[in-house]
Amino acid sequence: MKGNLLYEGKAKQVFEVEGNESLLVLSYKNDATAFNGQKKANFIGKGRYNNLISAKVFEYLRDKGIASHFEKSLSDTEQLVQRTTIIPIEVVVRNMAAGSITKRLGIKEKTVFNPPLVEFFYKKDELGDPIINDQHALILSDATVEELEEIKVTALKVNELLQEFFLGINLTLADFKLEFGRNIDGSIILSDEVSPDTCRLWDRDTGKKMDKDVFREDLGDLLQVYDNILQRLEAVK
Ligand code: UDP
């Protein structure tokens, strides 16, 4: 059923589905990149962890009424999704300060944002994904004012749900990035992946970072950390 390779990104390959134009197969790669691709490494097994963790997140969100591109898992490293055209805006929700905002605005790591902070970044590697405001987002995408508002509302709802989801496995959700896409029907739905590559997750007992920061900051064994998250998720229910 897997058709031609349509696109290859830093973390995933995207394949067409023979005989069905509205579906795609995502194949998660073992590559890790950080700092806009300047730091690179390959971790055998990482694709499996992100695929399985992302599938669990999307299944949970589906149960809670959040529409996403996720259809079903196909294998350890592949999932079937609805075809969408990605809106070139990375939507970041922050509950606690970490990463770029600490450097950009000099806000101390772990500073709490209440209400949570929503930021937009323009998805454009050549420009290093610059931060943008709502007006820029309208200029740089085909989303309408109403759709952009809906994206923000959905991102905040996903934040509420994911905070609870990760609390269930003793992790604090510091921040995360979402991408949205327009499906064949023209509806905007949650897309891409939600995994420790795209979230900051801190162990509630030890405070240890349990996400891609382990790779960004050379804090330890990335695969061991991702394996631990998957094990915690599999132990639930
Ligand atoms: N993030 C991501 N992809 C990106 C940029 C950020 O998934 O291209 C995630 C990142 O893992 C973190 C959140 O979005 O959970 C906020 O990232 P930040 O703006 O702090 O950027 P960073 O310093 O991590 O590049």
Side-chain angles (χ1 to χ4, degrees):
M1 88 190 266
K2 203 164 89 178
N4 293 326
L5 177 69
L6 196 66
Y7 170 81
E8 176 150 3
K10 292 192 284 260
K12 295 183 283 295
Q13 290 177 319
V14 182
F15 294 90
E16 292 187 310
V17 171
E18 277 171 12
N20 193 332
E21 287 209 331
S22 65
L23 295 173
L24 296 172
V25 171
L26 293 189
S27 178
Y28 281 71
K29 305 200 300 185
N30 288 332
D31 296 334
T33 61
F35 312 116
N36 199 25
Q38 286 173 58
K39 181 169 178 169
K40 280 188 206 152
N42 188 275
F43 296 93
I44 294 165
K46 174 174 170 289
R48 173 175 168 269
Y49 290 123
N50 281 344
N51 177 53
L52 298 181
I53 294 167
S54 195
K56 280 188 180 292
V57 171
F58 281 127
E59 279 163 8
Y60 164 79
L61 291 175
R62 176 161 64 199
D63 286 349
K64 299 288 181 182
I66 303 289
S68 82
H69 72 159
F70 181 78
E71 291 284 326
K72 63 174 185 176
S73 287
L74 295 174
S75 71
D76 269 3
T77 54
E78 293 185 322
Q79 52 188 246
L80 188 68
V81 300
Q82 283 182 42
R83 183 193 283 254
T84 61
T85 306
I86 292 290
I87 296 186
I89 299 168
E90 298 195 337
V91 182
V92 169
V93 181
R94 300 183 188 275
N95 298 306
M96 287 163 95
S100 70
I101 197 168
T102 62
K103 292 172 207 127
R104 186 174 358 101
L105 300 178
I107 297 173
K108 249 184 86 181
E109 188 174 82
K110 295 195 177 70
T111 302
V112 173
F113 299 120
N114 188 15
L117 183 59
V118 180
E119 293 177 339
F120 292 147
F121 294 83
Y122 182 34
K123 196 171 147 64
K124 191 88 176 166
D125 282 342
E126 306 91 284
L127 301 176
D129 296 351
I131 191 164
I132 56 171
N133 69 20
D134 290 33
Q135 287 172 295
H136 295 130
L138 290 172
I139 293 165
L140 294 167
S141 76
D142 66 356
T144 64
V145 174
E146 293 75 22
E147 285 174 333
L148 203 62
E149 190 52 36
E150 186 60 30
I151 284 173
K152 265 198 247 180
V153 168
T154 304
L156 287 170
K157 175 78 184 156
V158 169
N159 181 44
E160 293 296 315
L161 293 168
L162 289 186
Q163 280 187 305
E164 194 162 320
F165 180 80
F166 287 116
L167 182 63
I169 57 167
N170 209 37
L171 295 172
T172 297
L173 177 63
D175 66 27
F176 61 96
K177 182 264 305 179
L178 297 179
E179 292 184 24
F180 291 82
R182 202 180 281 284
N183 67 11
I184 300 273
D185 303 335
S187 308
I188 293 182
I189 54 173
L190 182 60
S191 198
D192 195 47
E193 71 176 282
V194 180
S195 72
D197 267 14
T198 65
C199 299
R200 282 198 170 89
L201 301 165
W202 297 339
D203 184 86
R204 284 167 55 85
D205 293 334
T206 63
K208 279 205 175 128
K209 296 182 177 181
M210 299 198 56
D211 54 58
K212 202 165 87 173
D213 276 349
V214 172
F215 167 66
R216 290 191 189 95
E217 300 173 13
D218 297 313
L219 299 177
D221 185 339
L222 189 77
L223 288 176
Q224 212 176 340
V225 167
Y226 284 25
D227 184 64
N228 185 290
I229 293 180
L230 183 60
Q231 279 187 34
R232 290 188 198 196
L233 287 175
E234 284 177 344
V236 175
K237 271 192 279 162

